[in-house]
Amino acid sequence: MADTGLSSDGAGSPGEGRYGERVFRPDQGGESDRIDLGALTYDDTTMARFRALGVGPGWTCLDVGAGTGTIARRLLAEAGVAEVLAVDRDVRFLAARPVTGLTVLQADVTADDFVPGPFRLVHARFVLMHLPSPQRMVAGLSRLLAPGGVLVVSDAVDLTTDAAPGTPYTRAMRAMWRGLRDTIGTDVSQVPRHPELLRAAGLESVAAEIHVPPLLPGSPISRFWADTWERARDAMVATGLVDDGQLDEAVRYLASPACTGLSPGMLTAWGWKPAS
């Protein structure tokens, strides 16, 4: 698959910044709490998929873009895996919560010299969508698998297209996706093609599923998006799709029972490296 250079809303080439620089800086107060709100929303779904894939005792695992380490620690505590290598470009949140069996590595997974492994499980959640070449990343992660190992990748699927009702929520989400693309290159338009990338990397028995958490007042996912919008406010307003007043209205709408929007779904795709 070749990157088209276009997002689903017709925007042009993405920005050249990176996640954690102009937006979502780890040194900004409360960023670990925002990440943990996402974990409260999605970790159970991710762990259920791991259990269905048979992840368990004896497995060695690589968690890419591990954030605050919630999945890495649950793999050790609940799945009983042998060890987890948790990797991120900034590991301050990982290093703050050490546990037995967890190795923390500060590294850029897009670098050519990133070659740990092999692993029975390689996992990357909400990582590929922020990178300029998901195809290259999938190919690289697939090479880190042991024979018979499984690669699991998850990213956001936009459900606020032009067909969705025009509400304060959908206007804010559209501005967010455009603003993140313009500043740090985030592009969710190609996420539905993740299964194709896994097949192109030579993986077998590829499949995928989507989880859409409900937007309920005060829920972790609603609080996650409200915090995300606040941290991305400048980028969102710069698109011209919303102003500060409209964004404030969207935050109030998101926290109210009147909100009927669909949260972005989490598409999870997986594929197995041939055993031979």
Side-chain angles (χ1 to χ4, degrees):
M1 182 197 78
D3 291 332
T4 64
L6 294 175
S7 67
S8 58
D9 58 12
S13 298
E16 296 181 355
R18 302 188 70 175
Y19 184 99
E21 295 177 347
R22 292 177 61 184
V23 187
F24 312 133
R25 298 194 321 273
D27 61 347
Q28 186 177 12
E31 178 60 12
S32 64
D33 295 331
R34 186 187 73 91
I35 295 172
D36 281 344
L37 286 172
L40 284 170
T41 301
Y42 296 112
D43 277 7
D44 285 348
T45 299
T46 297
M47 290 302 300
R49 174 43 48 196
F50 288 162
R51 287 192 293 271
L53 293 172
V55 178
W59 284 52
T60 55
C61 308
L62 171 64
D63 192 17
V64 175
T68 60
T70 56
I71 282 296
R73 291 192 299 275
R74 287 185 67 170
L75 279 167
L76 290 162
E78 298 175 25
V81 303
E83 58 182 306
V84 179
L85 176 63
V87 180
D88 214 312
R89 288 196 301 129
D90 189 304
V91 298
R92 70 187 69 194
F93 304 139
L94 288 166
R97 309 177 190 180
V99 295
T100 301
L102 175 63
T103 300
V104 173
L105 175 64
Q106 182 166 317
D108 184 348
V109 298
T110 65
D112 292 335
D113 61 353
F114 181 75
V115 287
F119 302 92
R120 288 281 302 278
L121 167 68
V122 175
H123 172 243
R125 190 173 73 184
F126 303 132
V127 173
L128 303 183
M129 59 192 258
H130 299 298
L131 299 178
S133 180
Q135 182 178 21
R136 180 175 179 271
M137 192 73 256
V138 167
L141 295 179
S142 298
R143 287 192 290 270
L144 303 181
L145 288 170
V150 61
L151 172 61
V152 181
V153 296
S154 298
D155 271 312
V157 178
D158 182 21
L159 299 176
T160 57
T161 60
D162 291 340
T167 68
Y169 167 76
T170 54
R171 283 193 295 271
M173 291 303 292
R174 291 166 187 166
M176 183 195 73
W177 293 128
R178 176 76 67 85
L180 294 183
R181 182 174 174 82
D182 291 348
T183 54
I184 60 174
T186 301
D187 183 6
V188 297
S189 67
Q190 300 298 316
V191 171
R193 301 184 70 176
H194 279 7
E196 178 184 337
L197 300 188
L198 271 63
R199 287 194 295 269
L203 301 184
E204 299 178 341
S205 300
V206 173
E209 61 190 356
I210 295 178
H211 170 62
V212 181
L215 291 173
L216 302 173
S219 65
I221 190 59
S222 294
R223 292 159 57 201
F224 172 85
W225 289 122
D227 196 356
T228 296
W229 292 347
E230 188 57 44
R231 292 168 191 271
R233 178 179 287 264
D234 290 346
M236 293 170 66
V237 171
T239 66
L241 298 177
V242 294
D243 58 28
D244 280 309
Q246 290 171 321
L247 187 49
D248 291 339
E249 180 188 10
V251 171
R252 292 192 296 270
Y253 179 78
L254 183 60
S256 75
C259 181
T260 56
L262 290 172
S263 178
M266 181 178 74
L267 183 147
T268 299
W270 60 90
W272 299 83
K273 187 170 184 175
S276 59

